[in-house]
Amino acid sequence: MTLLTPNSPTEDLQALDAAHHLHPFTHGDELAAKGARIVTRAEGCWLTDSDGNRILDGMAGLWCVNIGYGRSELADAAHRQMLELPYYNTFFQTSHVPALNLAAKLAELAPGDLNHVFFASSGSEANDTNLRLVRTYWEEKGEPERQVIISRWNAYHGSSVGSGSLGGMKGMHAQGGMPIPGIHHIDQPNWWSEGGYTTPEAFGLERAQALETAILEIGPEKVAAFIAEPIQGAGGVIVPPETYWPEIQRIAKKYGILLIVDEVICGFGRTGNWFASQTYDIQPDIMTVAKGLSSGYQPIGASIVTDEVAGVIANTEFNHGYTYSGHPVACAVALENLRILEEEGIVDRVRDETAPYLKERFESLADHPLVGEVKIVGMMGSLALTPDKATRAPFAEPGTAGLICRERCFANNLIMRHVGDRMVISPPLVISKDEIDTLVDRARKSLDEALAQLKAEGLMRVAAE
Ligand code: PXG
């Protein structure tokens, strides 16, 4: 066959894509009818598609391209590593320089005594590792009954059978036999949608105390761990009330359960610190990372565990691992990414300059008639759309307003994702103030157009109680 190129006509690219390529989280027939948007190249915060449009990427790919696109240093690191040692494994008592360096670097960056790293190629794999790791940990500690992992509805921890079960996405659980046994979900700290009857502070405490209730129901001697994202990302950038994390931390300590903090989105500067565990003063026993670890330039993830957890696991042979655990090219690229993040002071600049500016600009959207709640921490934010700001009412047809708004953003050359009727952003951390202005201006224009369309189509209707 003749391979197509980024310069091939869009129709040809779309037709070949529709003929052979199955897409994640996509309705196949709908996409085939419409044709995929084909992204051909990218630089900084800007994508180019096969029609030559320049699109501002308000999502950093999928929450991952933290240093922005087009950094040749990462390509050079991959090139050098491929020539020196393109692959070797880390099984059977072998190691290699990129993996041992990256493990040490992560131990240096991660807070507290999170000093030991088990590599994977994605966040899903890393959370699968965590699932087996915490159960193995308790077996080694002589408490094999401790098997249950508590998670939350509307959490996202990945798409494999294990990590998808840890996640709390009901649409995912409905397909393919999830969740697996031994996983218990509690309610999320989403004040806007679920907590309007009380203050955010009281609600945060209440939702944290749901962890204690669940532990007591299950039996503390049976609970292995609690897993959570500091801020739920794929769930719609749900920022918990300030009272939530201190109470979770207290409860986890009280019952001696392991705390798995999933920093796949929040890590590597997204919240204005290296890790959101620092932003929220959380002390994880295990931290999941991926995405920003390599800024998405290579698939890599990891579980970072404390001295204590590593010490217990070291008592046995942990029968777990992936061909690409600690892939040398992925590790070399991640190291170069971390060097750039550190040496260019990108995380500090986010915290001190660009995140405060983005917050001010993004929060200005609160006056828009479609926007109920605006939430933003660092470089991740969301807008809750509503047909009635006063009552925080959901739409009669959930998800439609979000979809329409997302389509208007696309048409205005801005990538913003929708999660139901929440619009979310997570731009590259290198976004400039000018680009932030462009992002917010285009978002406002898209909201205006979405509102006009919703009105014209009679969709500004409140859901029945
Ligand atoms: N944990 C969290 C918190 C995530 O956000 C994963 C684990 C899984 O990582 P991998 O690398 O296996 O995908 C994620 C991934 C979306 C979207 O549409 C979000 C993710 C992945 C794909 C789509 O918001 N997050």
Side-chain angles (χ1 to χ4, degrees):
M1 66 169 282
T2 318
L3 294 178
L4 299 182
T5 75
N7 297 323
S8 299
T10 298
E11 313 80 75
D12 294 0
L13 293 161
Q14 287 176 331
L16 198 61
D17 187 71
H20 302 290
H21 182 190
L22 299 174
H23 289 251
F25 286 89
T26 299
H27 190 294
D29 289 344
E30 278 177 13
L31 181 68
K34 191 176 164 204
R37 183 189 276 252
I38 314 277
V39 175
T40 49
R41 45 183 60 86
E43 185 68 33
C45 299
W46 294 85
L47 309 170
T48 304
D49 72 11
S50 55
D51 293 329
N53 294 308
R54 289 193 75 234
I55 307 156
L56 180 59
D57 186 3
M59 283 304 298
L62 264 182
W63 326 75
C64 56
V65 188
N66 289 12
I67 62 165
Y69 299 92
R71 292 299 299 246
S72 58
E73 300 91 327
L74 273 65
D76 293 343
H79 182 246
R80 276 196 307 274
Q81 188 59 47
M82 281 196 191
L83 293 176
E84 192 169 282
L85 181 71
Y87 176 74
Y88 201 71
N89 68 72
T90 53
F91 287 48
F92 317 131
Q93 307 191 348
T94 62
S95 194
H96 50 67
V97 177
L100 60 90
N101 273 334
L102 182 58
K105 185 72 205 173
L106 287 172
E108 180 187 290
L109 290 172
D113 54 1
L114 290 160
N115 287 323
H116 309 269
V117 181
F118 194 105
F119 285 114
S121 297
S122 66
S124 300
E125 285 183 1
N127 278 327
D128 277 12
T129 299
N130 294 339
L131 200 159
R132 300 195 59 220
L133 192 105
V134 296
R135 290 176 172 172
T136 307
Y137 168 94
W138 287 113
E139 280 155 17
E140 285 307 307
K141 294 264 281 191
E143 296 188 57
E145 291 273 280
R146 285 205 191 242
Q147 293 286 302
V148 178
I149 300 171
I150 301 176
S151 177
R152 303 176 303 174
W153 295 116
N154 200 35
Y156 191 82
H157 297 299
S159 208
S160 58
V161 176
S163 61
S165 297
L166 289 173
M169 297 292 174
K170 290 185 179 162
M172 291 176 71
H173 290 178
Q175 296 172 326
M178 296 197 290
I180 57 169
I183 306 206
H184 182 95
H185 296 87
I186 60 175
D187 286 329
Q188 57 171 338
N190 181 345
W191 178 79
W192 167 262
S193 294
E194 301 173 11
Y197 57 87
T198 185
T199 62
E201 292 72 24
F203 184 72
L205 276 181
E206 192 180 309
R207 286 292 157 102
Q209 282 156 4
L211 175 61
E212 186 156 25
T213 308
I215 293 172
L216 293 172
E217 266 170 30
I218 297 161
E221 71 290 353
K222 293 193 180 138
V223 179
F226 176 63
I227 181 168
E229 305 150 79
I231 296 169
Q232 291 152 262
V237 184
I238 310 301
V239 179
E242 289 297 325
T243 47
Y244 185 75
W245 273 110
E247 185 67 358
I248 290 286
Q249 182 78 65
R250 181 190 71 75
I251 295 165
K253 278 223 163 69
K254 178 171 174 191
Y255 296 96
I257 64 170
L258 296 174
L259 187 55
I260 309 170
V261 177
D262 186 336
E263 295 252 12
V264 167
I265 284 178
C266 294
F268 306 101
R270 176 82 28 220
T271 68
N273 291 300
W274 276 88
F275 298 98
S277 293
Q278 294 155 330
T279 307
Y280 286 104
D281 197 18
I282 310 168
Q283 285 110 45
D285 297 288
I286 300 179
M287 193 187 260
T288 321
V289 295
K291 293 190 190 274
L293 168 55
S294 68
S295 283
Y297 281 58
Q298 282 285 296
I300 183 165
S303 308
I304 313 179
V305 311
T306 58
D307 294 334
E308 203 268 330
V309 171
V312 171
I313 291 295
N315 293 330
T316 186
E317 177 166 341
F318 184 36
N319 295 314
H320 179 82
Y322 309 105
T323 302
Y324 302 130
S325 284
H327 191 285
V329 178
C331 289
V333 169
L335 275 165
E336 186 61 10
N337 172 60
L338 298 179
R339 185 191 68 73
I340 289 175
L341 278 174
E342 215 172 13
E343 285 184 15
E344 296 185 3
I346 292 173
V347 180
D348 295 344
R349 198 169 67 96
V350 165
R351 188 189 52 234
D352 300 336
E353 277 179 51
T354 44
Y357 186 70
L358 177 63
K359 182 173 161 67
E360 182 194 321
R361 292 296 333 265
F362 196 64
E363 284 179 345
S364 74
L365 296 170
D367 68 2
H368 195 277
L370 256 189
V371 174
E373 181 185 56
V374 183
K375 281 288 180 192
I376 182 153
V377 176
M379 288 277 168
M380 60 195 294
S382 61
L383 310 171
L385 307 185
T386 173
D388 185 358
K389 284 165 88 105
T391 60
R392 292 187 308 279
F395 285 92
E397 272 131 291
T400 312
L403 182 64
I404 289 174
C405 190
R406 200 269 312 261
E407 293 299 309
R408 296 322 307 157
C409 289
F410 251 27
N412 290 317
N413 285 332
L414 169 66
I415 304 276
M416 233 175 140
R417 184 157 143 27
H418 82 109
V419 177
D421 292 314
R422 285 189 94 93
M423 300 305 299
V424 308
I425 56 162
S426 164
L429 304 187
V430 294
I431 191 169
S432 68
K433 290 186 176 173
D434 280 354
E435 288 167 333
I436 288 171
D437 288 338
T438 306
L439 188 157
V440 175
D441 292 348
R442 288 184 185 182
R444 182 175 285 279
K445 180 165 186 280
S446 306
L447 286 164
D448 287 344
E449 292 170 5
L451 178 62
Q453 187 177 338
L454 287 163
K455 281 184 175 160
E457 294 178 12
L459 290 168
M460 283 298 280
R461 283 181 297 111
V462 168
E465 282 282 312

